[in-house]
Amino acid sequence: MSTPTTVTCDTCGTELTRTKQSRTSQPRVRYCSNACRQRSYRLRQKSGGVEAGLSSELLTQLSSFVGRTEELVELTRLLHEVRLLTLTGPAGVGKSRLALEVAGQEARGRRSEVSVVQLSTVTDADDVRRRILEALGDGTEEGRAASALDRLLVLDDCDHVLYTCGAVLTELLPGRPRLSVLATSREPLRLPGESVFSVTGLALSDPESVNSLADGLRSDAVALFMDRARAVAPDSRLTRDNAADVAEICARLDGLPLLIEMAARLIRVFPPAEIRSRLQDRLTLLTNGWRLADDRHQSLRASLEWGYVLLGPAEQALLRRLSILPGGFGPDAVSAVTADVPEAAVSLPELLVALESKSVITPSTGRDGGAARFRMLESTQCFGQERLVAEGEDTATYERLIVWLTTMSLPLRSEAVVPVATLDRLAGERVNLAHAVRRMGEGSDERQLLLVAALAAVEGARGRGAEVAGLVEHALERTAPHSDYRALALEAAALVGRGDRAARLIDQAVREERQRGRSPLLGRLLLDRGILHQARDECRASADDLEESLEIGLRAHHDTLVALSRGALARNRLEGGDPAGAERELAQALPALRGGVPPQWLSSVLSTAGALAVEKGDLERAEELFTEALRCRAHHHADAARALEGLALVAARGYRFERGTRLLGVAEGVRGGGPGESGWWRRRVQEARDTALRALPVGRAESWLEAGRAMPWRQALALALGDEVSEPRGGGAAHPLSRRERDVAALVVEGLTNRQIAARIHVSVRTVETHIRHIRTTLGLRSRAHIAAWEAQQQAGAPAAPAAVSTSASPPAVALRRPPDTREVLRGVRVGGGVVRPELRGA
């Protein structure tokens, strides 16, 4: 039985009676007469409503809208909860385009009458007020009638007229309860009731992905680049050869759509690799904005200059000086490089807040209770450095940075073992250190020896010491031969060196430091040389150096140096056939080291303790120690080979030959040209390898070794720490889908609709649609049924590849674009009742 309800005419408010069919159905009657219907149409045409907006503003976007799925869902929700919503973000991030897309959705759904006011070319306060009032039809009969409707007013580009916009909205919003405002600006309007939505760059590829092509296909930034590239060069394709270059371009441009579009249009002239190499001079390169766009959208430099002019003098001075900190900065770094700015000394927090609100800098850490830290987009840094040179401030600013970094690095010279706190602080400035070292490389300033040693210490702790070898060599060549910091640079060069050359360098460092007496630094250098001697099977020379290092530590009451020397002596004793002596040294060393030394030092001593446990036959204790050693270096796999080999040795002696063989393969893959090991250790690892190979069928053992060598580090770490992986398949490649995409594919197998999947994993339906589109693109599938069949095949466990296992970390090209023949996969597949049952034939 239908229920009569009362509604009103949308134009004149006359009560109308309609029949209510359901709780969710929309009214069939909106107007009391044709006159009211035509009057409403004229009103919308004049006041910039749905039809007017769609015909003039909202449908003039001739290029496709890429990405931003989550943002569109969130903004639509916010628009129905707040009355004033401001989109903020840096130049080129796509605030205007996103706002128009949201407004277009509102208009197409007939949820609101939409008016758009472009303010980029308006500077006079009266003109701003007049345009806003005209858009709302203020003062007219139609405008008064429209005030009874839901209205969305889009104010685009408010940056330069914030005060005027604020004054007008403060008058309008209280008297128009059905009016909502969506504004775009680089900073908030700062009005009561305002909700701020920060727009960031498009999603980038995972920099650690082993499959750049599959990861690039899931990146919104890469998708935009390729979409705009195909618009000017239709044959452009994302391939294995160019995927890494395109991803790097998008990352260097911080995912900013305006810059990505400019770079993509260069594809007609330059291949992606060359565009990537030219980004250092991006202010000159990116000058190809749309011909009829606003002046500030014609080039990157014009866009940045627009925002720079809107800053105050002190804010401009900070922008210029902070541009020399590419690795981000905290308040202490800001104070150091802005010491010549009077306003910074008295109001630094206020200036940082102002720069953040104006989208010049972005908070990067500190929100979880840590120290506040900020970053500047790379393009803004390039512009700031250009302005810094133009103002003649570059030399003095860089000098202040170098003095600050030098003071921070001095414990490397004065301490036997660099405190963990100092290393952590230097690690936070790692990129800034490298930038300063490259800047100093043009001269002969001896401080570059200290800074390059600090950089080598930081990179060594990350397992990437070899990456700075060239900088160390350059600093040694450019500086005077008798600098106080020379021994530090020689130590750094020795630690990243190999073989006889490393031995010569550490000998030279010890000679340099002996001239200054038995200093704490000499104790550390002797410790380094003793460890190097041990790796070269020079046991007597190793023992002499380690005992002298221990003596220096005891005299200086330096407990950490004493403990490290004892730990290294334990290895010397063990490999020299004195396990009892090794146990005595370790009993004194380990308790003093846990939690008090850099992780690479602790990992080495723990590995020695693990080797001793193996020699004693205590495999359970040995596995605990090697596992702890690996956890110390879990994120720096380049020097984790010894702990991995130790776990493999334990597995082989415990008759777990498959695990041992896989771990040996992983160790071989990560060791590469890494630090050498003593003959004693190499013999034990070889014994474990031979035992495992004899215990397993030849083909199977080789397959496990190859799978281990090709295994991605995260998967290898999970294996080593106890999370066993499945039977190796051909290629040893990472899964082509993300974790969320795999979840969606699994729910497709269950026969769920997009809406049901969205409810199950708590996302929007549009997000599910995007995931399914990415799945089809990544796997080269044509339909939802193919996705269900492919995922069902994965769940059932596809047959292993032939015996020959590829050593490539990436799947072959055909794996992404040409999956198993879907006719074979789908043969016999029944989809129904929420179940997909594959009966694979010929797959």
Side-chain angles (χ1 to χ4, degrees):
M1 187 74 179
S2 60
T3 303
T5 59
T6 301
V7 294
T8 59
C9 174
D10 285 353
T11 302
C12 66
T14 302
E15 290 189 359
L16 302 172
T17 301
R18 68 177 176 85
T19 300
K20 184 177 180 182
Q21 297 178 334
S22 71
R23 294 183 178 179
T24 58
S25 62
Q26 296 297 321
R28 293 183 177 179
V29 179
R30 295 184 60 186
Y31 309 104
C32 64
S33 64
N34 284 334
C36 278
R37 179 178 289 107
Q38 294 178 14
R39 183 180 175 191
S40 176
Y41 174 76
R42 290 194 301 272
L43 169 66
R44 289 193 297 272
Q45 288 284 352
K46 185 173 183 178
S47 63
V50 176
E51 288 81 2
L54 288 175
S55 63
S56 62
E57 296 286 349
L58 302 178
L59 291 185
T60 57
Q61 308 302 316
L62 302 181
S63 57
S64 60
F65 185 81
V66 178
R68 303 288 195 196
T69 303
E70 299 288 350
E71 289 93 331
L72 287 171
V73 172
E74 180 65 12
L75 288 172
T76 301
R77 181 188 66 81
L78 286 173
L79 274 179
H80 298 159
E81 295 179 357
V82 302
R83 298 188 58 206
L84 174 57
L85 178 60
T86 304
L87 306 187
T88 63
V93 78
K95 301 182 293 294
S96 298
R97 185 64 189 275
L98 180 58
L100 292 179
E101 189 70 18
V102 173
Q105 286 188 359
E106 290 292 302
R108 289 188 293 272
R110 294 186 177 273
R111 292 184 287 267
S112 301
E113 305 280 349
V114 178
S115 300
V116 179
V117 180
Q118 297 282 1
L119 297 172
S120 57
T121 59
V122 184
T123 57
D124 183 73
D126 291 337
D127 286 344
V128 172
R129 176 183 294 273
R130 178 179 54 78
R131 288 202 179 195
I132 293 175
L133 295 179
E134 284 182 355
L136 295 175
D138 194 70
T140 66
E141 182 179 355
E142 291 85 352
R144 285 189 291 272
S147 65
L149 306 176
D150 286 339
R151 296 296 300 269
L152 174 61
L153 174 65
V154 179
L155 299 181
D156 192 24
D157 293 326
C158 302
D159 311 67
H160 56 302
V161 287
L162 290 172
Y163 184 85
T164 303
C165 288
V168 175
L169 294 179
T170 301
E171 296 175 7
L172 289 176
L173 287 172
R176 296 174 181 253
R178 304 190 70 174
L179 172 66
S180 297
V181 178
L182 178 61
T184 69
S185 172
R186 297 191 193 186
E187 62 176 306
L189 296 172
R190 291 166 57 186
L191 297 178
E194 178 186 26
S195 187
V196 179
F197 186 93
S198 180
V199 183
T200 58
L202 293 172
L204 301 170
S205 300
D206 182 358
E208 297 183 2
S209 173
V210 298
N211 191 330
S212 57
L213 178 56
D215 198 57
L217 291 169
R218 292 192 291 267
S219 164
D220 288 340
V222 172
L224 177 65
F225 183 96
M226 296 310 302
D227 180 84
R228 301 306 190 252
R230 282 190 291 268
V232 297
D235 60 341
S236 298
R237 294 290 182 271
L238 188 69
T239 66
R240 290 189 181 281
D241 294 334
N242 64 24
D245 291 323
V246 173
E248 178 69 12
I249 291 169
C250 295
R252 293 279 305 277
L253 298 177
D254 297 292
L256 300 183
L258 176 64
L259 310 190
I260 290 174
E261 289 185 346
M262 290 183 185
R265 287 196 287 273
L266 297 172
I267 205 75
R268 294 186 61 184
V269 181
F270 302 118
E274 189 164 354
I275 296 175
R276 173 182 178 178
S277 66
R278 290 175 177 270
L279 285 181
Q280 196 65 29
D281 190 25
R282 67 187 65 192
L283 295 176
T284 302
L285 180 68
L286 302 180
T287 58
N288 55 341
W290 298 117
R291 189 182 305 278
L292 299 181
D294 295 338
D295 290 343
R296 63 194 178 93
H297 288 154
Q298 292 285 354
S299 69
L300 172 59
R301 178 179 279 109
S303 179
L304 293 169
E305 284 178 345
W306 164 273
Y308 183 76
V309 171
L310 298 178
L311 300 176
E315 294 167 346
Q316 292 178 346
L318 254 68
L319 185 154
R320 295 194 298 270
R321 285 153 180 77
L322 295 179
S323 67
I324 70 168
L325 297 168
F329 43 88
D332 52 348
V334 179
S335 297
V337 300
T338 61
D340 64 324
V341 181
E343 295 88 342
V346 296
S347 57
L348 181 59
E350 291 83 352
L351 286 172
L352 289 176
V353 170
L355 289 180
E356 190 279 331
S357 69
K358 295 178 181 179
S359 305
V360 176
I361 61 177
T362 304
S364 57
T365 59
R367 294 181 180 181
D368 57 353
R373 195 167 179 86
F374 305 88
R375 59 182 289 267
M376 185 180 287
L377 298 183
E378 189 172 337
S379 298
T380 308
Q381 292 169 20
C382 294
F383 177 79
Q385 290 176 20
E386 183 181 86
R387 300 295 302 182
L388 188 73
V389 173
E391 296 290 339
E393 301 166 338
D394 54 321
T395 301
T397 304
Y398 272 105
E399 176 61 23
R400 284 188 289 272
L401 172 63
I402 291 167
V403 169
W404 180 66
L405 292 173
T406 299
T407 302
M408 190 188 308
S409 304
L410 284 175
L412 272 76
R413 181 71 184 81
S414 59
E415 296 285 344
V417 179
V418 184
V420 174
T422 298
L423 270 182
D424 289 343
R425 193 178 179 204
L426 287 170
E429 305 299 335
R430 176 179 59 85
V431 178
N432 296 330
L433 265 173
H435 182 63
V437 166
R438 291 187 176 92
R439 167 86 180 190
M440 297 177 72
E442 302 171 2
S444 58
D445 190 333
E446 68 171 8
R447 291 175 298 177
Q448 65 183 290
L449 294 170
L450 174 61
L451 296 189
V452 80
L455 181 61
V458 169
E459 295 291 8
R462 301 173 68 238
R464 299 179 179 178
E467 297 181 7
V468 299
L471 292 175
V472 177
E473 291 296 329
H474 181 79
L476 286 169
E477 292 172 0
R478 297 282 298 186
T479 53
H482 302 297
S483 168
D484 287 346
Y485 303 128
R486 191 167 186 80
L488 290 171
L490 289 168
E491 177 193 27
L495 293 180
V496 300
R498 298 288 181 268
D500 293 340
R501 186 172 185 281
R504 289 195 302 271
L505 288 168
I506 197 65
D507 285 343
Q508 187 178 350
V510 170
R511 287 195 302 271
E512 290 272 349
E513 192 58 26
R514 279 197 188 279
Q515 299 175 8
R516 295 171 176 80
R518 294 167 66 84
S519 64
L521 175 57
L522 178 61
R524 184 173 82 234
L525 294 174
L526 289 168
L527 174 62
D528 292 334
R529 191 168 72 170
I531 293 173
L532 182 59
H533 279 315
Q534 189 65 38
R536 292 163 59 86
D537 293 321
E538 299 165 354
C539 295
R540 185 62 263 168
S542 173
D544 291 343
D545 282 342
L546 295 175
E547 287 169 357
E548 185 178 0
S549 174
L550 176 61
E551 181 185 352
I552 291 174
L554 290 170
R555 287 187 177 182
H557 303 287
H558 200 298
D559 295 339
T560 304
L561 178 60
V562 168
L564 288 173
S565 299
R566 291 191 184 281
L569 278 169
R571 179 180 175 185
N572 181 273
R573 306 279 193 260
L574 176 63
E575 297 185 1
D578 181 14
E583 190 167 11
R584 287 194 300 272
E585 299 290 1
L586 287 170
Q588 298 181 69
L590 273 177
L593 290 178
R594 282 194 169 92
V597 295
Q600 67 270 25
W601 289 105
L602 179 58
S603 179
S604 177
V605 178
L606 287 169
S607 292
T608 300
L612 176 61
V614 170
E615 293 298 296
K616 293 171 62 178
D618 189 350
L619 298 184
E620 183 177 351
R621 177 60 177 161
E623 187 161 23
E624 291 176 1
L625 290 164
F626 283 124
T627 299
E628 186 180 355
L630 181 60
R631 290 188 188 279
C632 289
R633 310 301 292 147
H635 301 293
H636 315 301
H637 59 270
D639 59 352
R642 185 176 176 89
L644 287 166
E645 289 167 343
L647 288 170
L649 198 155
V650 170
R653 294 201 179 188
Y655 307 107
R656 293 177 290 166
F657 298 117
E658 291 183 355
R659 171 178 166 81
T661 306
R662 279 184 290 176
L663 288 174
L664 284 171
V666 172
E668 291 174 9
V670 303
R671 182 178 288 283
E677 292 289 355
S678 65
W680 182 91
W681 181 255
R682 290 198 303 271
R683 287 191 297 273
R684 275 150 181 77
V685 173
Q686 187 62 44
E687 290 170 4
R689 193 178 194 275
D690 293 342
T691 301
L693 292 178
R694 285 195 302 269
L696 295 170
V698 176
R700 187 176 180 82
E702 291 298 331
S703 177
W704 283 120
L705 281 172
E706 291 293 336
R709 294 187 191 107
M711 193 178 294
W713 175 244
R714 293 176 183 175
Q715 186 179 359
L717 186 62
L719 166 67
L721 298 179
D723 184 9
E724 294 291 335
V725 294
S726 61
E727 186 85 9
R729 299 181 183 176
H735 199 291
L737 302 182
S738 68
R739 182 178 298 276
R740 179 49 62 89
E741 288 168 354
R742 296 201 297 271
D743 293 341
V744 171
L747 294 173
V748 169
V749 173
E750 295 182 18
L752 301 185
T753 65
N754 287 356
R755 188 171 298 279
Q756 290 169 329
I757 293 173
R760 181 77 65 87
I761 62 177
H762 307 292
V763 298
S764 69
V765 175
R766 189 179 293 273
T767 300
V768 174
E769 293 170 351
T770 301
H771 285 316
I772 290 178
R773 184 170 64 252
H774 285 174
I775 293 170
R776 290 174 55 193
T777 301
T778 301
L779 300 176
L781 300 175
R782 296 190 296 274
S783 70
R784 189 185 187 89
H786 291 169
I787 294 175
W790 183 89
E791 176 62 20
Q793 183 184 31
Q794 302 301 305
Q795 294 176 5
V805 180
S806 171
T807 59
S808 172
S810 300
V814 70
L816 285 176
R817 304 307 305 166
R818 187 181 178 190
D821 190 337
T822 51
R823 292 173 299 177
E824 296 295 332
V825 173
L826 290 172
R827 186 181 299 159
V829 173
R830 291 191 294 111
V831 183
V835 178
V836 178
R837 298 180 59 188
E839 299 172 11
L840 303 176
R841 303 174 186 173

